[in-house]
Amino acid sequence: MHRALRIFNSNFFIRLRSWEYWPFMVVQFPFFLYWLWLSLRAKSFLFFSASNPRITLGGMFGESKYEVLMQLPERLRPKTIFVEFPVTVDELINKIKLAGLDFPVIFKPDFGERGFMVKRIFSRNDIEHYLRKMKSNFLIQELIELPVECGVFFTRFPNEDKGKVTSVVLKEMLDVVGDGVSTLQELIFAKERAKLQWTILKEVHQDRLTQIVKEGERVELNSIGNHCLGTKFLNGNHIISATMSESFDRISKEMRQFYFGRFDLKCASLEDLSKGNVKILEVNGCGAEPAHIYQPGFSLWEAYSVLFTHWNNLYQISLQNRQRGVPYTSFREGRNIYQKYRAAMQIKS
């Protein structure tokens, strides 16, 4: 009985029971087939490149995060430094000082996705460790300490005057709460979402794994709000309002020709979110997902319904922009972008 329970609570069965943990390509396979069908209709495998004309491939992959972020007005974005690789530790520390930033800061690749190599940097030692692995251009970003972190997906059809918010995901950071008896390691293994991140967490918290956590003490295990790093994504669509849609319609138009994508941001309150009083950490184009579908317990079939609508919207927006004279990226150019993107996604062992 004990052995059966242990097997049932293994990482394999935890992932099997909840589709949010399934491999990306397993969940996305039906949309690979749908993409092929839409590509035939559009007469281009890269039809999505017309969705956001001022972003490489519309933001499906290979775009510079820095270049996209700089399309936002300064009031909406954190201080961000572009770092060209290779670079020394002393050069980076000097850049941080000249920008008026203090530790901790965020390091993230200029090309990347799903939390790849996004790190909170506290010291010179952290910088040295980051540079031992990173071998492409990256960003240094001001740490925004605001309590609400979320992703807002915006959709506007080029033939329409106004767009709307079509998805809101609220993010709950991965944490554990002490009971005054258990060690941090025991608390991690007692929580399924944390247990799945053990490979990462045992390194991040190696100095205190055997310490008993005080009763009621909350320990944040990972400070990066990414689903792949254990952050819980919650369906926030109930807070979508006309005011919110108007706010993000204004923001999208300040970027010029941004029609389809997700703003990953922080803000002080849900009221500020609705009014557009936010700090946007990253703008993800047509490659982004309406991430509210990863709410624990969200039906896979309902998620498929959302994603089919998502892909159809992408197709319609791209087609309307094509009719307005926006060209599709050629297959050769797209292949070159992909090769550069894959090279940038490699890290040193």
Side-chain angles (χ1 to χ4, degrees):
M1 181 68 179
H2 178 70
R3 186 170 182 271
L5 184 62
R6 188 172 59 192
I7 293 173
F8 184 74
N9 289 326
S10 68
N11 286 0
F12 174 80
F13 278 98
I14 291 172
R15 291 190 174 99
L16 187 63
R17 291 195 300 271
S18 302
W19 72 265
E20 64 165 310
Y21 300 125
W22 292 0
F24 178 78
M25 286 308 300
V26 171
V27 175
Q28 294 292 331
F29 182 72
F31 306 102
F32 171 75
L33 300 178
Y34 192 42
W35 162 72
L36 288 176
W37 166 241
L38 295 176
S39 296
L40 290 174
R41 291 177 63 188
K43 299 182 176 61
S44 171
F45 287 116
L46 303 179
F47 67 86
F48 48 77
S49 62
S51 58
N52 297 306
R54 297 185 67 220
I55 302 177
T56 300
L57 290 177
M60 183 61 73
F61 59 82
E63 74 278 12
S64 163
K65 291 182 181 295
Y66 182 77
E67 290 179 2
V68 177
L69 193 65
M70 290 303 108
Q71 293 179 24
L72 288 166
E74 188 174 354
R75 74 179 190 280
L76 293 173
R77 49 183 163 86
K79 290 181 181 179
T80 304
I81 306 166
F82 178 81
V83 178
E84 189 171 356
F85 186 87
V87 66
T88 67
V89 175
D90 287 334
E91 287 172 339
L92 287 178
I93 290 175
N94 189 49
K95 286 177 182 290
I96 291 170
K97 289 180 179 178
L98 288 176
L101 298 178
D102 295 310
F103 291 118
V105 292
I106 300 295
F107 279 25
K108 62 171 67 173
D110 192 36
F111 299 93
E113 59 182 20
R114 298 178 174 269
F116 169 75
M117 284 300 289
V118 179
K119 304 290 183 183
R120 187 176 287 199
I121 302 296
F122 292 89
S123 66
R124 182 187 185 93
N125 287 341
D126 288 346
I127 295 177
E128 291 173 349
H129 185 265
Y130 195 85
L131 290 183
R132 283 197 291 269
K133 293 191 173 184
M134 196 66 185
K135 61 175 183 177
S136 61
N137 298 341
F138 61 94
L139 310 182
I140 301 173
Q141 198 167 73
E142 171 190 9
L143 178 64
I144 301 298
E145 296 278 23
L146 292 172
V148 180
E149 182 166 354
C150 60
V152 175
F153 205 101
F154 177 81
T155 302
R156 178 162 70 91
F157 294 94
N159 293 346
E160 296 179 359
D161 292 333
K162 292 184 178 182
K164 61 182 179 181
V165 173
T166 51
S167 167
V168 172
V169 58
L170 303 173
K171 300 182 180 183
E172 184 179 290
M173 296 300 133
L174 182 63
D175 66 5
V176 291
V177 179
D179 57 10
V181 177
S182 304
T183 65
L184 179 60
Q185 180 172 329
E186 289 169 336
L187 292 171
I188 289 172
F189 275 90
K191 186 170 185 174
E192 288 187 354
R193 187 171 293 273
K195 182 171 174 280
L196 293 176
Q197 301 297 321
W198 172 244
T199 302
I200 296 173
L201 297 179
K202 68 180 180 180
E203 294 185 15
V204 175
H205 300 281
Q206 57 183 318
D207 295 334
R208 60 175 306 188
L209 290 174
T210 58
Q211 294 179 6
I212 293 175
V213 182
K214 295 178 182 178
E215 185 174 1
E217 179 185 352
R218 175 181 174 271
V219 179
E220 186 172 88
L221 300 176
N222 199 319
S223 58
I224 305 299
N226 190 282
H227 186 260
C228 295
L229 299 176
T231 301
K232 184 185 288 187
F233 280 11
L234 303 173
N235 184 355
N237 284 0
H238 61 282
I239 66 173
I240 296 175
S241 64
T243 300
M244 184 184 294
S245 288
E246 289 170 3
S247 297
F248 283 90
D249 186 65
R250 286 194 300 271
I251 290 171
S252 74
K253 288 171 180 173
E254 288 185 273
M255 291 182 66
R256 296 173 32 229
Q257 294 186 301
F258 182 81
Y259 297 98
F260 191 74
R262 192 183 67 231
F263 299 97
D264 290 336
L265 57 86
K266 287 188 176 183
C267 55
S269 66
L270 294 181
E271 182 179 0
D272 275 351
L273 173 64
S274 183
K275 293 178 180 179
N277 297 329
V278 299
K279 284 290 185 179
I280 297 173
L281 312 179
E282 196 167 293
V283 181
N284 295 284
C286 68
E289 296 176 295
H292 72 277
I293 63 173
Y294 292 107
Q295 156 101 32
F298 200 90
S299 161
L300 177 61
W301 305 116
E302 188 177 357
Y304 276 172
S305 176
V306 171
L307 290 172
F308 273 113
T309 299
H310 172 84
W311 271 93
N312 185 60
N313 287 343
L314 173 57
Y315 172 76
Q316 294 297 335
I317 289 170
S318 301
L319 193 64
Q320 288 180 21
N321 273 331
R322 181 71 183 88
Q323 292 167 349
R324 288 167 166 245
V326 177
Y328 296 145
T329 300
S330 69
F331 184 81
R332 176 180 291 183
E333 185 180 353
R335 182 181 59 191
N336 291 338
I337 292 169
Y338 180 74
Q339 289 172 344
K340 291 178 182 178
Y341 166 70
R342 293 310 304 172
M345 289 284 283
Q346 302 301 312
I347 62 172
K348 297 177 184 178
S349 58

